[in-house]
């Protein structure tokens, strides 16, 4: 049997391997954070895509309505054009008929003027007949006088003179009646002529108005033709837009499906990266527990010593009855009214500020690589914090408060939950610290369980950069 001597490995190489493992754990944490950021970004993009799909759907519906409206407008303009064409023809016929009527009225006016002239001539003739009748009457009267003088010899002549006189009187009576009738006719004819003249004037004005209406109808028909042409152009444009919107919608659907598929793949990748991060952290924690990784070990020792100091301070205060166990383990968190981010009070706050905060401040200032120290109970509640992180909140300034008023808050993240569930004397893990606009940085965190008089209260923790 050949025996070989097993030599102890070079401690520096083991420490280097431990540092490399720490670097791996930090890299896994950083990569997992980036994958998470990309996943969240894709989720937001998928949500935006969903909104875009809704917008495109609404736009498609609007375009369909616009197309229907354009088609309806074309139909209405076609109807209007047909109606206007029919109306124009009717108006044109009416104008022609009204022109003929106006011409007839004018002709009647001219004829009435001729009738008036003839009646005037008749009146003058009647006056002449009347003068002749009066003269004849005078002659008959003289003949009767002369017949009376002649006696029996003029008796026959007297009879003739009497008949002539009677004829003259009848003629005068007839001329008087005719003259009265002519005067009445002249009056009626004058009124009728004035009315006829007024009618001719109004008919002429109406004819001109009809001509203007006919011109207006022609202009409206021209406008309707233009509107019909524009409606046809709009219909073509909306139809083209509708097709393009449908194409965009199809492209968005395909892109959304791809994005959701990528989101699923990234979710799987993030889950696997999380598993790798957990295993890397477990290996780092195991290496540190094995006594290697000297760089990390001194922070672990500092956390263990500081956690012991915190425990001793609390137990001493309990022994002196300065505080009571019910106060230390109080989990009745009362919301601080008006706080943003939300803060909570409990009965341990004042004692924690007195017994724990000085230790947190001292540890935080003991090494430039330490970025903070804190205590959290089993629910992730911080009854106190560093002095610089325990300032009074400013009203209406949540951003400042989130940086400077972190006490009395609850921060139960995955790492804190795993540390609370751990029964080891310490747990070393890594996480990504959010630096706001400056991005993130990988941080190591050492959790030490705080057991007060045999009862688990929570953890003491130190965060530092590698």
């Amino acid at each position: 049997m050949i025996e070989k001597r097993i030599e102890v490995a070079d401690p520096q190489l083991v420490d280097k391997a431990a540092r490399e493992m720490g670097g791996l754990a930090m890299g896994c944490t950083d990569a997992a954070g980036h994958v998470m950021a990309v996943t969240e970004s894709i989720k937001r993009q998928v949500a935006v895509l969903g909104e875009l799909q809704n917008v495109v759907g609404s736009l498609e519906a609007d375009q369909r309505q616009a197309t229907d409206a354009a088609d309806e407008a074309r139909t209405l303009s076609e109807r209007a054009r047909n109606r206007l064409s029919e109306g124009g023809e009717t108006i044109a016929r009416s104008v022609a008929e009204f022109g003929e009527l106006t011409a007839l009225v004018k002709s009647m006016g001219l004829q009435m003027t001729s009738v008036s002239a003839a009646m005037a001539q008749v009146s003058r003739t009647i006056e002449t007949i009347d003068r002749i009748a009066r003269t004849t009457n005078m002659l008959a009267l003289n003949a009767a006088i002369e017949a009376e003088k002649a006696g029996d010899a003029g008796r026959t002549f007297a009879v003739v003179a009497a008949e002539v006189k009677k004829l003259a009187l009848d003629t005068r009576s007839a001329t008087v009646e005719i003259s009265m009738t002519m005067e009445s006719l002249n009056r009626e004819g004058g009124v009728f002529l004035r009315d006829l003249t007024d009618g001719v004037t109004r008919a002429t004005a109406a004819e001109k108005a009809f001509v203007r209406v006919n011109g207006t109808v022609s202009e409206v028909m021209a406008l309707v033709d233009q509107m019909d042409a524009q409606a046809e152009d709009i219909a073509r444009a909306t139809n083209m837009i509708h097709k393009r919107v449908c194409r965009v919608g199809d492209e968005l659907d395909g892109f959304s499906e791809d994005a959701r598929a990528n989101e699923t793949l990234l979710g799987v990748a993030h889950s696997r990266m999380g598993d790798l991060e957990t295993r890397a952290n477990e290996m780092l924690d195991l290496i540190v527990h094995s006594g290697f990784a000297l760089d990390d070990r001194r922070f672990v020792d500092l956390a263990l010593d500081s956690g012991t100091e915190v425990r001793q301070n609390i137990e001493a205060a309990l022994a002196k009855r300065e505080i009571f166990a019910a106060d230390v383990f109080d989990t009745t968190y009362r919301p601080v009214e008006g706080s943003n981010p939300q803060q909570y009070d409990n009965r341990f706050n004042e004692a924690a500020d007195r017994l724990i905060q000085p230790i947190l401040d001292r540890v935080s200032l003991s090494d430039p690589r330490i970025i903070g120290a804190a205590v959290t109970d089993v629910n992730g509640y911080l009854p106190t914090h560093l002095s610089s992180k325990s300032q009074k909140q400013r009203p209406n300034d949540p951003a400042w408060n989130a940086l400077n008023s972190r006490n009395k808050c609850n921060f139960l993240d995955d790492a804190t939950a795993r540390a609370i569930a751990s029964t080891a004397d310490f747990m070393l893990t890594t996480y990504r610290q959010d630096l706001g606009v400056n991005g993130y940085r990988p941080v190591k965190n050492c959790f030490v369980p705080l057991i007060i008089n045999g009862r688990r209260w929570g953890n003491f923790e130190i965060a530092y950069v590698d």
Side-chain angles (χ1 to χ4, degrees), residues 122-134 137 167-187:
V122 169
S123 295
R124 288 193 295 272
T125 302
I126 290 171
E127 289 176 359
T128 301
I129 293 172
D130 184 59
R131 286 195 301 271
I132 294 171
R134 283 197 299 271
N137 185 42
L167 176 61
L169 291 175
D170 290 341
T171 300
R172 287 201 64 193
S173 177
T175 56
V176 169
E177 291 181 2
I178 292 171
S179 178
M180 292 175 62
T181 301
M182 290 303 298
E183 288 179 1
S184 177
L185 286 174
N186 281 331
R187 287 194 302 271

Side-chain angles (χ1 to χ4, degrees), residues 268-282:
V268 173
H270 180 262
S271 177
R272 292 178 178 175
M273 187 63 70
D275 293 340
L276 181 60
E277 177 190 6
T278 300
R279 292 185 181 183
N281 279 319
E282 289 174 350

Side-chain angles (χ1 to χ4, degrees), residues 28-61:
C28 288
T29 299
D30 195 36
H34 283 298
V35 171
M36 173 58 76
V38 173
T39 302
E40 293 297 328
S41 176
I42 288 183
K43 284 183 178 179
R44 291 191 296 270
Q45 292 174 4
V46 168
V48 172
L49 281 173
E51 294 178 0
L52 283 175
Q53 285 177 303
N54 293 333
V55 170
V56 169
S58 300
L59 183 59
E60 183 180 353

Side-chain angles (χ1 to χ4, degrees), residues 324-388:
F324 299 93
D327 300 329
V328 175
F329 291 92
D330 180 25
T331 57
T332 303
Y333 311 115
R334 301 179 302 278
V336 177
E337 185 177 355
S339 58
N340 185 16
Q342 184 66 58
Q343 290 183 308
Y344 303 89
D345 285 327
N346 76 348
R347 296 199 301 273
F348 189 41
N349 294 133
E350 184 178 349
D353 288 340
R354 186 178 74 254
L355 300 172
I356 303 175
Q357 192 176 79
I359 299 174
L360 300 178
D361 289 340
R362 186 181 71 245
V363 171
S364 179
L365 295 173
S366 65
D367 191 302
R369 292 167 61 186
I370 295 176
I371 62 174
V375 291
T376 54
D377 69 5
V378 292
N379 296 313
Y381 176 71
L382 288 77
T384 188
H385 209 303
L386 299 171
S387 299
S388 60

Side-chain angles (χ1 to χ4, degrees), residues 149-165:
K149 288 179 180 181
D152 292 335
R155 190 174 296 170
T156 302
F157 184 73
V159 173
V160 174
E163 291 296 329
V164 171
K165 182 180 180 181

Side-chain angles (χ1 to χ4, degrees), residues 274-294:
D275 293 340
L276 181 60
E277 177 190 6
T278 300
R279 292 185 181 183
N281 279 319
E282 289 174 350
M283 292 177 66
L284 174 63
D285 187 60
L286 180 61
I287 290 175
V288 176
H289 271 89
S290 299
F292 300 107
L294 298 180

Side-chain angles (χ1 to χ4, degrees), residues 189-205:
V191 172
F192 179 70
L193 186 59
R194 286 194 300 273
D195 291 344
L196 194 60
T197 302
D198 185 60
V200 170
T201 302
R202 293 184 180 183
T204 303

